[in-house]
């Protein structure tokens, strides 16, 4: 339940508990990064590689679909222009 500024009264600038939890997690991550360095686990590395592979595959498929659509539009426009030239 979130209180409105009027309900908080003079404490309207107080943070919600969830904001404090997130802040602590960020500060702890920064502490670990400074203490241990930027070390990735094996699972994290595998997940990053998988994500990059899927992203590249999706990007390639998107480009191929776009190229096919452009080719289809060119063919349609050519057929329309030919029809108008012959019968127009």
């Amino acid at each position: 339940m979130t209180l409105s500024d009027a309900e908080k009264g003079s404490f309207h600038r107080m943070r919600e508990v969830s904001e404090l939890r997130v802040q602590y997690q960020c500060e702890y991550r920064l502490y670990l990064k400074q203490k241990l360095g930027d070390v990735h686990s094996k699972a994290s590395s595998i997940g990053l590689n998988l994500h990059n592979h899927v992203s590249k595959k999706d990007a390639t498929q998107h480009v191929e679909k776009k190229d096919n659509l452009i080719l289809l539009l060119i063919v349609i426009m050519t057929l329309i222009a030919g029809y108008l030239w012959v019968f127009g």
Side-chain angles (χ1 to χ4, degrees):
M1 179 176 157
T2 304
L3 298 176
S4 67
D5 288 343
E7 291 173 324
K8 291 179 185 175
S10 61
F11 301 108
H12 67 278
R13 295 186 152 224
M14 292 176 55
R15 294 183 176 187
E16 299 293 328
V17 174
S18 60
E19 292 175 5
L20 294 174
R21 179 184 53 81
V22 171
Q23 178 185 354
Y24 172 74
Q25 287 177 346
C26 292
E27 289 175 358
Y28 188 67
R29 286 181 185 162
L30 177 63
Y31 165 76
L32 289 175
K33 195 173 191 178
Q34 290 173 348
K35 185 82 171 167
L36 303 175
D38 196 12
V39 179
H40 298 284
S41 68
K42 185 177 179 181
S44 174
S45 298
I46 291 171
L48 182 63
N49 290 336
L50 179 63
H51 177 75
N52 290 337
H53 177 71
V54 170
S55 296
K56 288 178 187 176
K57 186 176 179 181
D58 287 345
T60 304
Q61 288 175 351
H62 181 68
V63 170
E64 289 173 359
K65 288 179 183 178
K66 188 175 182 181
D67 290 345
N68 290 339
L69 180 62
I70 291 172
L71 182 60
L72 179 64
L73 289 175
I74 290 172
V75 169
I76 291 172
M77 294 300 292
T78 304
L79 291 174
I80 290 172
Y83 179 80
L84 291 175
W85 182 66
V86 171
F87 297 109

